[in-house]
Amino acid sequence: DLHGETTEDYADLQTQMNLFYHDVTQDLHSLKPASFEEGQVLVKNYRTLSPAESYSWPAVARGCNTFIISQNADQPLGYLVPLLTHLLLNSVHVSHASSSGPIAVLLCPGWEKAQLVYDLLEETNVSQTLHPLIMLVGIGKDQAKDVKIPKNCLLLVTTPFSFVRLLSSHCFLFLRLYHLLLDEADELFTRAPDQMESILQHFQKVTSRVEKGSCPRQLIAAARRWSSPMEKLISCHMPNPYIVISVLEEAALYGNIQQVVLMTPENNKISVLLDALDFCPDVGQKTLIVANSAQEVEDVFQALSSQSAFCLKVHEGLLDQLDFVLQQWKKTIGPRTHIVLVSTSECLKGLGIRDASCVVHFGFPSSPRLFGSRLFCMVENFQNLSVQVNGSRVTRSLLLVSERNARHVVGVLRYLGRTATHLPPVLLRFAERVCLSREEQKISRPLCRYLKSFGVCRDRNACLDRHSFNPHLDHSALPTSGVIEVLPLYIKTASVYYGRLVNSSDEGFESMASEINSYYADTKPGAKELLQGKTRCLYLISGRVQTLELNHIYLFNSISVRFVDIGKEVEVKSYQVLELPEQFHSLPHQAVEIVVCGVKPVDAEMEWHPKVTRAISQKIRGLQHQARVVLSLGNTLFVHHMVTLSFRVAKIVLSYSLQSEILKTGMGVSNPEHLDVLRELLQDSVVNQTKDGGPTNGFSSAISTPTESFTGQSGWPSVQNSLC
C-alpha cells in the first residue's frame, strides 16, 4: 500500500473488505462452543473499515506477520477482530493440547491500556474458549514467583515490564507462544526498550523450534508513529511482513527520506534554494519544488531558468499544460541530468507524481498531512524493509524555514527529532524561545498535576497546564516547613490526598458541622441561584460544596461540585443543591491538598494503579497522621514523610510510614528527583522575579531540606531517626 493505489482500486478493496467483514461476522456467530452472540459489540463499533484496516485485516486473519501504522492504531479493535477470527476458526491450540500456557500474548504500554483491552475481551464470548487473563506484576519480593496462570488461559494481556518478570520466573509457561501482539508499539519501544528486546529474543527462540513448523508464528505491531527500533523489529523479527502505513508523513520516516532544514530570511529564499540544488548531478535526478501560490511558482521558475536549468512549471492558471508537463516528467533521464518541476500544493493531486528523488518545500506546509502528501511524491524511491536491496537510492526533502513559520517550528522539530537530521543551532534556539512563549501563555493555568505529583509531566507539548511557578497563584498561607498533623479525608491517588490540618482551632469546624446538620434537619431551602465558584451546601452528604462547572441549569441536570471541606469532586443533580445560610460562609475552606514526595509508580507509569490507591485509602482515610512539610504552593502541601504514631505508656511507637507502605505493594519505586525538580523550579522562579524587580512572595524560604530534624514537638527524640 506504500505505492499508492488509485481511488478506484481502494473503492473495490473497500467493497471486498466489507464482504469479508460480513463473512467473518457470520462465522463468529456460528462458532461452537464459543458462540459470538455477545460479540456483536465488535459489530456495533465497526460500521465501516478505515483504510489501514481494509489492508491489514486479511493479513491478520490469515496469520501473517503484520505491521500497521495509522491514526487509529491505538484502538485495539482494529486488530482484535481479525486476530480472534484466526484464533477461533483455526483452533491452533488443539494440535498442541499437551502443552500449557498462553498461545498469544498482547503487550500494552501501560496498565490503563491493558485494562481497556481486557475489558473489551470480557465483553465478548471469547472468554469461554480463550480464557483471556490480565496480568500486572510488580517488583515486590517473590511477587512474580507467586503468580498462578491457569492452564486454560490462551490469551494473556500484560505490559513489557510485567511480562519480563513472568519470563524470569515462569519461562516454561511460554513455550507455545505463537502470537505476539504489540499494541502502540511506538510507546512500547520508547518506555521499555530493554524489555522489548528480551521479549522479542524469547519469541524468536521459541518459535524457531522445528516442531513448531505446523503452527507458524505471527507477530502483529500496531502504532501511530514510526520510530527507529521498528526497523530492527521488521528486518529481524518479522519474516515476509505485510506493512500497512496510512499516515503519509510516517511513511516518509519508514522510507528513510533524508531531511534537510535550511534557515533563511523570507526575502532570500530563492538564493538559498539555488545554492542547495545541484544542476549537474552524477546520477539523474527529478526534483519537485512545491510553492504555496502561483506567483511563487513564477518567481522560482524564472530564477531557475536564469541558471539554464531544465525546468517545468504548473499552477492553477496553467492547467492546460498539465499533460505536457507529465509527458516531459515521465521521460527516462540519464546521468548528469536534472529535471525540475515547480508546482503548487493543489496541483500535486492531479499530477500523481510518485518517482521524485527530491522534494523542496519552498512554500512551508501548513499541516503534517500536507507535508506527508508532498513527501509521498517520492514513494517509489522509499526503502522497503521487507526486501533486501543493496545500495538504495538517496532521496531528500529540503525544508526552507523563515521567520514567517515561527508557529510551526516546534512541530517541525518534534517530527525531525525522530530522524537523523542535523538541526541548525539557530533553529533550536528559536524553538526554545517559542516554547518559553507558550509556557508564558499558560501562566494563569493551574500547576500541572503530574509535575506536582512526580516532578515530571507526562507530555509537555500536549499538556494545557503550566510547568513553572506563578508567585501570585502559588503564594501560600500554609506552613512551609516543620511537622504538622493532618487528617486525610479523600484519597485521590496513592500519593495525593485531601484533608484537614489538625490544630487547636478544629473545634470551630466541628461546631459548624454540627450546626449545619441541625439546620438542615429542620428545613431544606433550595438554591435560588447557582453561580460558578460560589459555595453552597449539599444536604444529602451534609457538606459545603462549591460549583465548578455550569452550563444550562435545569432541575434534573447534573452539575460538578467540590466539597470544600473534604476536597472530593462529584456530579450531583441541580435540585440537590441547597442554599447555604450566610452564617456558615465565614469559616474558610478546610480541604488542603497533600502531596507525598519521594515515590512514583513503577515501570514508567504516570498513574497509580487503582489497587495501590485502594490499599492506601483503606489504611489512612480518616486517621490522624504526622507529616513533615518541605514546600507549600497555593492550597497544596508537599510533605516528605507521613507517618502514624501509637502512644503507649512511656514510649511512642511508629506504626507505619506511608512511603514504605506504597513501596511494599510492589507497584511503586523511590523518586528522589521529585524534590530536586521542585527546588530547581522554585529557584528559577525566585531568580526571574528578582531580575524583573517583582516580589518573590516568600518563595525563597518556601522549601526546606528533607533531612532537617523535627522541631517544636515534645517527646519526639525516640522516633526522629526513623522518620528521617
Side-chain angles (χ1 to χ4, degrees):
D1 68 300
L2 287 176
H3 296 283
E5 286 76 3
T6 64
T7 304
E8 292 77 10
D9 293 335
Y10 175 71
D12 293 340
L13 181 62
Q14 182 75 27
T15 302
Q16 297 173 17
M17 282 306 305
N18 286 333
L19 294 175
F20 165 79
Y21 173 66
H22 175 75
D23 294 339
V24 167
T25 304
Q26 296 302 318
D27 290 337
L28 292 178
H29 280 294
S30 63
L31 284 176
K32 299 296 182 182
S35 173
F36 241 70
E37 293 177 0
E38 294 183 10
Q40 290 181 3
V41 64
L42 303 179
V43 179
K44 290 188 297 184
N45 282 275
Y46 271 93
R47 297 300 182 188
T48 58
L49 300 177
S50 69
E53 290 159 356
S54 297
Y55 287 103
S56 63
W57 273 36
V60 175
R62 291 198 303 265
C64 303
N65 292 324
T66 311
F67 180 85
I68 309 166
I69 290 184
S70 69
Q71 291 289 1
N72 59 343
D74 56 343
Q75 302 298 321
L77 280 177
Y79 58 81
L80 276 181
V81 176
L83 173 71
L84 296 177
T85 303
H86 177 69
L87 293 180
L88 295 172
L89 294 180
N90 292 277
S91 301
V92 172
H93 57 283
V94 174
S95 61
H96 298 275
S98 59
S99 303
S100 61
I103 63 173
V105 171
L106 199 161
L107 297 178
C108 299
W111 68 262
E112 289 179 294
K113 187 58 177 295
Q115 189 65 51
L116 185 150
V117 173
Y118 177 73
D119 292 342
L120 188 61
L121 292 170
E122 284 293 293
E123 291 178 1
T124 70
N125 274 341
V126 297
S127 57
Q128 297 181 6
T129 302
L130 301 179
H131 303 282
L133 177 69
I134 183 173
M135 186 65 64
L136 301 172
V137 183
I139 59 175
K141 184 179 181 181
D142 297 332
Q143 193 167 342
K145 293 182 180 179
D146 296 338
V147 167
K148 302 295 182 183
I149 300 179
K151 292 184 178 180
N152 60 359
C153 173
L154 300 180
L155 176 57
L156 181 68
V157 182
T158 184
T159 65
F161 296 96
S162 294
F163 191 43
V164 167
R165 296 181 190 119
L166 289 174
L167 287 176
S168 64
S169 301
H170 304 282
C171 184
F172 60 91
L173 286 179
F174 299 96
L175 297 181
R176 63 169 184 172
L177 178 59
Y178 312 130
H179 306 270
L180 181 62
L181 297 92
L182 309 182
D183 183 86
E184 298 188 57
D186 50 335
E187 290 293 328
L188 292 176
F189 284 106
T190 299
R191 299 187 188 185
D194 297 336
Q195 288 74 15
M196 288 303 301
E197 181 66 25
S198 300
I199 293 170
L200 290 172
Q201 288 179 0
H202 172 83
F203 182 67
Q204 187 172 25
K205 182 178 180 181
V206 168
T207 55
S208 62
R209 296 194 303 174
V210 177
E211 59 269 26
K212 293 298 179 71
S214 60
C215 182
R217 72 175 188 174
Q218 181 182 27
L219 200 159
I220 302 172
R224 297 187 63 183
R225 299 175 180 87
W226 171 266
S227 59
S228 55
M230 295 177 184
E231 182 170 350
K232 183 178 180 181
L233 172 70
I234 295 175
S235 59
C236 298
H237 301 284
M238 299 181 72
N240 303 316
Y242 281 78
I243 301 174
V244 181
I245 304 178
S246 63
V247 185
L248 299 183
E249 60 269 24
E250 300 301 322
L253 292 179
Y254 164 87
N256 195 27
I257 299 299
Q258 180 184 355
Q259 302 285 347
V260 179
V261 180
L262 301 176
M263 300 291 294
T264 172
E266 184 67 26
N267 58 5
N268 197 37
K269 290 172 66 174
I270 293 181
S271 298
V272 173
L273 170 64
L274 295 177
D275 292 339
L277 296 179
D278 181 5
F279 296 105
C280 192
D282 295 333
V283 180
Q285 291 188 15
K286 293 184 176 182
T287 296
L288 176 63
I289 302 177
V290 188
N292 286 336
S293 66
Q295 184 59 49
E296 284 188 348
V297 170
E298 295 291 348
D299 294 340
V300 173
F301 178 80
Q302 183 177 1
L304 291 171
S305 299
S306 65
Q307 299 292 321
S308 300
F310 181 70
C311 185
L312 304 169
K313 65 177 178 177
V314 62
H315 53 73
E316 291 79 354
L318 300 175
L319 296 181
D320 56 322
Q321 301 182 19
L322 190 61
D323 292 338
F324 171 77
V325 169
L326 287 176
Q327 181 183 6
Q328 294 296 318
W329 178 269
K330 291 178 180 179
K331 287 183 177 180
T332 303
I333 60 175
R336 309 189 68 80
T337 302
H338 193 172
I339 180 173
V340 181
L341 171 60
V342 189
S343 171
T344 59
S345 297
E346 290 74 13
C347 290
L348 289 183
K349 302 175 184 178
L351 291 171
I353 293 175
R354 297 290 182 267
D355 61 343
S357 55
C358 178
V359 171
V360 180
H361 307 272
F362 186 85
F364 197 88
S366 58
S367 68
R369 185 176 183 84
L370 180 58
F371 183 61
S373 66
R374 294 179 179 181
L375 297 179
F376 199 70
C377 294
M378 298 183 286
V379 66
E380 292 185 6
N381 293 315
F382 283 6
Q383 72 170 0
N384 188 349
L385 296 178
S386 61
V387 179
Q388 297 295 331
V389 179
N390 296 326
S392 59
R393 188 173 183 178
V394 176
T395 53
R396 290 197 308 163
S397 167
L398 272 65
L399 183 64
L400 302 182
V401 182
S402 70
E403 66 275 9
R404 290 186 180 180
N405 315 127
R407 61 191 183 97
H408 299 289
V409 166
V410 176
V412 170
L413 287 181
R414 197 179 307 145
Y415 178 82
L416 297 180
R418 294 187 283 141
T419 68
T421 305
H422 172 72
L423 300 176
V426 63
L427 180 63
L428 296 175
R429 291 193 298 269
F430 187 73
E432 184 179 0
R433 291 196 297 269
V434 172
C435 291
L436 290 175
S437 177
R438 290 184 177 180
E439 280 297 326
E440 290 175 358
Q441 295 175 3
K442 303 177 185 178
I443 197 65
S444 60
R445 296 281 304 169
L447 189 63
C448 173
R449 69 183 184 94
Y450 295 107
L451 186 63
K452 290 196 296 184
S453 299
F454 311 122
V456 60
C457 180
R458 177 193 290 252
D459 184 1
R460 286 203 175 197
N461 294 320
C463 184
L464 299 178
D465 294 329
R466 60 185 167 91
H467 304 88
S468 59
F469 291 153
N470 182 336
H472 301 288
L473 296 179
D474 295 328
H475 177 67
S476 178
L478 298 173
T480 59
S481 62
V483 178
I484 60 172
E485 295 188 5
V486 297
L487 183 66
L489 298 173
Y490 168 59
I491 313 304
K492 186 176 182 180
T493 70
S495 61
V496 179
Y497 326 119
Y498 283 88
R500 294 203 311 269
L501 300 183
V502 180
N503 50 48
S504 57
S505 62
D506 275 350
E507 292 77 7
F509 174 76
E510 298 297 339
S511 175
M512 183 202 69
S514 177
E515 292 180 13
I516 288 178
N517 291 335
S518 299
Y519 176 83
Y520 286 108
D522 300 329
T523 181
K524 299 178 179 60
K528 300 176 182 178
E529 183 183 12
L530 292 179
L531 299 176
Q532 188 164 325
K534 188 173 182 180
T535 302
R536 301 287 178 179
C537 182
L538 182 63
Y539 172 70
L540 292 179
I541 312 180
S542 297
R544 297 186 300 172
V545 300
Q546 184 181 50
T547 54
L548 298 178
E549 183 177 354
L550 298 176
N551 295 316
H552 297 289
I553 303 300
Y554 298 102
L555 186 61
F556 295 99
N557 274 20
S558 296
I559 60 175
S560 298
V561 298
R562 176 192 292 118
F563 287 88
V564 297
D565 299 318
I566 300 177
K568 186 176 182 179
E569 296 181 7
V570 297
E571 282 195 356
V572 299
K573 301 300 182 183
S574 56
Y575 71 85
Q576 294 175 297
V577 180
L578 307 179
E579 193 74 24
L580 185 68
E582 194 67 32
Q583 64 266 28
F584 299 131
H585 289 191
S586 58
L587 191 66
H589 299 173
Q590 300 294 298
V592 174
E593 185 181 28
I594 304 166
V595 177
V596 177
C597 300
V599 288
K600 63 181 179 181
V602 73
D603 299 341
E605 297 277 3
M606 292 303 295
E607 301 286 354
W608 289 104
H609 194 278
K611 71 177 183 180
V612 183
T613 300
R614 184 165 53 250
I616 297 301
S617 178
Q618 294 172 352
K619 197 172 191 67
I620 73 172
R621 187 163 62 90
L623 298 179
Q624 190 167 318
H625 289 70
Q626 283 79 34
R628 182 171 57 216
V629 179
V630 292
L631 174 66
S632 62
L633 297 172
N635 195 44
T636 303
L637 284 173
F638 295 83
V639 300
H640 187 262
H641 284 290
M642 188 168 170
V643 301
T644 182
L645 304 175
S646 299
F647 292 86
R648 299 181 182 176
V649 178
K651 64 178 180 179
I652 304 174
V653 179
L654 176 63
S655 295
Y656 62 82
S657 169
L658 195 53
Q659 284 94 333
S660 299
E661 293 298 315
I662 294 176
L663 297 178
K664 284 180 183 178
T665 65
M667 304 300 287
V669 294
S670 298
N671 184 17
E673 298 85 8
H674 190 179
L675 280 176
D676 295 336
V677 172
L678 294 176
R679 287 197 195 96
E680 184 178 353
L681 289 176
L682 181 66
Q683 294 301 326
D684 291 343
S685 176
V686 173
V687 171
N688 292 335
Q689 287 295 313
T690 304
K691 288 181 178 179
D692 296 339
T696 61
N697 287 299
F699 266 29
S700 58
S701 59
I703 191 168
S704 60
T705 59
T707 55
E708 65 182 28
S709 300
F710 290 92
T711 58
Q713 303 289 331
S714 59
W716 282 69
S718 61
V719 297
Q720 282 187 13
N721 292 334
S722 299
L723 295 173
C724 295

